[in-house]
Amino acid sequence: MSELGKTAPNEIYLIVGDTDKDCNFNELAEVTWADKPIYEETAIKYIKSYQLTIPKSIADILDNVFNSFIELQNNANSLMIQTIYTHYEPETPFYKWFNKEDNSYNISIIYLAGKALGVDLVKVVEGE
């Protein structure tokens, strides 16, 4: 996401003069965000999208389980059960992340489902 996009509220309106032309946020030097349209007929509504993330160390663990249980690759929940079974000890990075992150189970399921579908649904980031 661009620096410009990071500063925007979740739902914004951009006022443009000519609605027949496309507008690119990244090319705008200065933008004032509006939470309400000034002129309804020329307002373009944008809704910011979010990207789920998972630490690389956790993704590596999930990748290992995904690649080790080929027969379960179409069942993200079963893969999570295997991950918990093999990596749920108090001193492991997975255990620490799993108990620290509120949505760790859901993020893990989405990550594994994305792998099965061949789509990156969760962005892998550096860190634990």
Side-chain angles (χ1 to χ4, degrees):
M1 181 180 294
S2 70
E3 286 302 312
L4 189 60
K6 290 178 187 174
T7 64
N10 291 338
E11 189 175 286
I12 60 170
Y13 294 88
L14 176 67
I15 310 307
V16 296
D18 185 356
T19 56
D20 292 335
K21 294 183 181 176
D22 289 335
C23 188
N24 183 346
F25 272 126
N26 296 325
E27 293 178 6
L28 299 177
E30 293 182 26
V31 172
T32 301
W33 303 115
D35 58 0
K36 296 177 184 169
I38 297 171
Y39 302 107
E40 290 284 341
E41 62 277 356
T42 61
I44 299 175
K45 182 178 181 179
Y46 290 89
I47 298 176
K48 187 191 289 187
S49 62
Y50 292 94
Q51 174 70 56
L52 294 172
T53 60
I54 192 168
K56 183 173 179 355
S57 61
I58 303 305
D60 290 344
I61 291 168
L62 293 172
D63 289 344
N64 185 26
V65 171
F66 184 85
N67 293 328
S68 297
F69 294 93
I70 296 169
E71 69 281 3
L72 298 177
Q73 287 182 353
N74 64 346
N75 189 330
N77 191 52
S78 293
L79 286 168
M80 270 307 297
I81 291 168
Q82 286 299 326
T83 305
I84 291 168
Y85 181 74
T86 57
H87 294 280
Y88 203 70
E89 295 179 18
E91 297 306 315
T92 64
F94 181 79
Y95 179 90
K96 291 175 184 175
W97 176 77
F98 197 80
N99 286 298
K100 180 180 83 173
E101 181 67 38
D102 284 342
N103 289 307
S104 58
Y105 188 86
N106 294 329
I107 292 170
S108 299
I109 291 283
I110 294 167
Y111 178 79
L112 291 167
K115 285 194 65 71
L117 296 169
V119 178
D120 292 329
L121 298 175
V122 179
K123 182 179 180 181
V124 177
V125 296
E126 291 301 319
E128 283 188 35

